[in-house]
Amino acid sequence: MGENINWQEVYQLAESWIREAGRIIKETIESPIHVETKSSPDDLVTDKDREIERFLTEKIREQFPDHHIVSEEGYGDRVNALSGVLWLIDPIDGTMNFVHQKRNFAVSIGVYENGVGRVGLILDVMTGDLYHVVKGQGAFFNEHRLPQLHAGELEKAVFGINATWINANRRIDPEILRPIVRKTRGTRSYGSAALEMAYVACGWLDAYFTMRLSPWDYGAGLILIEEVGGVFSHADGRPLDLLKGGSVLVGKPGVHKAIVEMIQAGLANGKYFREELE
Ligand code: IPD
Ligand code: CA
Ligand code: CA
């Protein structure tokens, strides 16, 4: 399989579904939201996350019954291999923003074939901005083709990082990150990993770092970033596993390299880094 898939057609269907998903959310944005917490008080899910995931998974299954789906809220499949076509779906990325701000959240769809990113879409629901890519055909912010990223330098970088990681936490020694943050021009945190990765693809952020993401958070973002010559890995430079998740560092090649080197230097100095914590 593979050679027969028309990725442009897959893109067009995915675009119509993501836009419909965006319309459904936007139309009901002022309605009361039913919010529940999952693993912790800051891990939120709403009836909308579930409704949108159900909508998208039904569309995919109807159209592509032999494709597999990995998604956040339980409507996907149990997938443990990258063979065939895999859809990585986050129905609402930035649920906390959705609940607290009614803005700065996204729907994210990434489509992979045998582990190779083919089609990616990230819709900023409230602005209607669509970040999209078909591998080999360019990455786009709405109708604007994104230029290739240049190497970049840490000293001139705007770094996407949440304050969690430079304060006491279980996963990474804040002493690893503080010197990195000090070196950059500044930091930003938007609360939607998908949008933050889209911003890296657009060159608006020079890198984005987090210690804990799942495949649906970065499925689309990685494809966008790869298309414009950006780089991604786990925080310490190891290659990312598409099905497993964990720490994620994406960025312009030079900025990514500088951050990895500083993280590795921290590890060599005995600082802690716990990727595997639940
Ligand atoms: C979350 C957002 C957030 C990131 C979290 C993710 P969700 O996704 O992307 O920015 O820091 O790690 O879990 O739960 O809103 O889909
Ligand atoms: Ca998410
Ligand atoms: Ca989500």
Side-chain angles (χ1 to χ4, degrees), residues 115-190:
V116 176
R118 294 289 181 183
V119 171
L121 305 98
I122 296 171
L123 177 71
D124 181 325
V125 172
M126 299 313 284
T127 63
D129 287 328
L130 185 66
Y131 305 84
H132 57 105
V133 57
V134 177
K135 184 182 170 60
Q137 297 178 27
F140 292 81
F141 164 56
N142 294 325
E143 70 280 21
H144 308 289
R145 194 189 182 102
L146 299 175
Q148 290 291 298
L149 297 175
H150 59 83
E153 292 164 51
L154 191 56
E155 288 75 5
K156 292 185 185 156
V158 180
F159 185 24
I161 184 172
N162 191 299
T164 310
W165 311 120
I166 48 167
N167 284 300
N169 73 87
R170 297 184 306 148
R171 293 171 197 276
I172 187 165
D173 197 321
E175 290 310 322
I176 297 181
L177 291 162
R178 285 188 192 131
I180 300 175
V181 164
R182 260 197 303 274
K183 258 199 164 182
T184 63
R185 201 165 251 178
T187 59
R188 297 290 183 271
S189 179
Y190 299 91

Side-chain angles (χ1 to χ4, degrees), residues 72 90-95 192-194 213-214 216-218:
E72 184 166 17
D90 196 340
I92 298 184
D93 182 63
T95 297
S192 158
L213 283 188
S214 298
W216 46 81
D217 296 311
Y218 55 74

Side-chain angles (χ1 to χ4, degrees), residues 54-272:
R54 206 171 332 116
F55 167 77
L56 291 172
T57 51
E58 278 172 14
K59 290 287 181 199
I60 296 163
R61 290 205 171 98
E62 224 170 83
Q63 193 74 35
F64 303 112
D66 59 334
H67 291 186
H68 306 292
I69 304 170
V70 167
S71 53
E72 184 166 17
E73 310 301 349
Y75 298 93
D77 307 311
R78 226 180 272 279
V79 175
N80 43 34
L82 289 174
S83 50
V85 178
L86 175 64
W87 293 65
L88 297 176
I89 303 282
D90 196 340
I92 298 184
D93 182 63
T95 297
M96 200 185 288
N97 289 350
F98 170 61
V99 170
H100 286 260
Q101 307 178 334
K102 297 190 189 332
R103 71 198 69 224
N104 298 325
F105 60 89
V107 184
S108 176
I109 301 180
V111 192
Y112 287 76
E113 179 194 29
N114 300 323
V116 176
R118 294 289 181 183
V119 171
L121 305 98
I122 296 171
L123 177 71
D124 181 325
V125 172
M126 299 313 284
T127 63
D129 287 328
L130 185 66
Y131 305 84
H132 57 105
V133 57
V134 177
K135 184 182 170 60
Q137 297 178 27
F140 292 81
F141 164 56
N142 294 325
E143 70 280 21
H144 308 289
R145 194 189 182 102
L146 299 175
Q148 290 291 298
L149 297 175
H150 59 83
E153 292 164 51
L154 191 56
E155 288 75 5
K156 292 185 185 156
V158 180
F159 185 24
I161 184 172
N162 191 299
T164 310
W165 311 120
I166 48 167
N167 284 300
N169 73 87
R170 297 184 306 148
R171 293 171 197 276
I172 187 165
D173 197 321
E175 290 310 322
I176 297 181
L177 291 162
R178 285 188 192 131
I180 300 175
V181 164
R182 260 197 303 274
K183 258 199 164 182
T184 63
R185 201 165 251 178
T187 59
R188 297 290 183 271
S189 179
Y190 299 91
S192 158
L195 288 177
E196 285 163 302
M197 293 176 88
Y199 297 170
V200 169
C202 290
W204 304 338
L205 284 176
D206 300 281
Y208 167 71
F209 162 94
T210 182
M211 278 306 287
R212 197 177 179 211
L213 283 188
S214 298
W216 46 81
D217 296 311
Y218 55 74
L222 296 188
I223 310 173
L224 278 165
I225 288 170
E226 191 165 44
E227 187 73 9
V228 293
V231 186
F232 53 81
S233 67
H234 282 301
D236 56 354
R238 283 171 302 116
L240 271 184
D241 182 326
L242 211 48
L243 292 177
K244 209 159 146 245
S247 68
V248 173
L249 173 65
V250 299
K252 291 179 175 159
V255 178
H256 177 275
K257 183 164 178 278
I259 295 173
V260 166
E261 282 171 5
M262 289 183 78
I263 291 176
Q264 285 175 348
L267 298 183
N269 255 325
K271 305 275 189 287
Y272 69 87

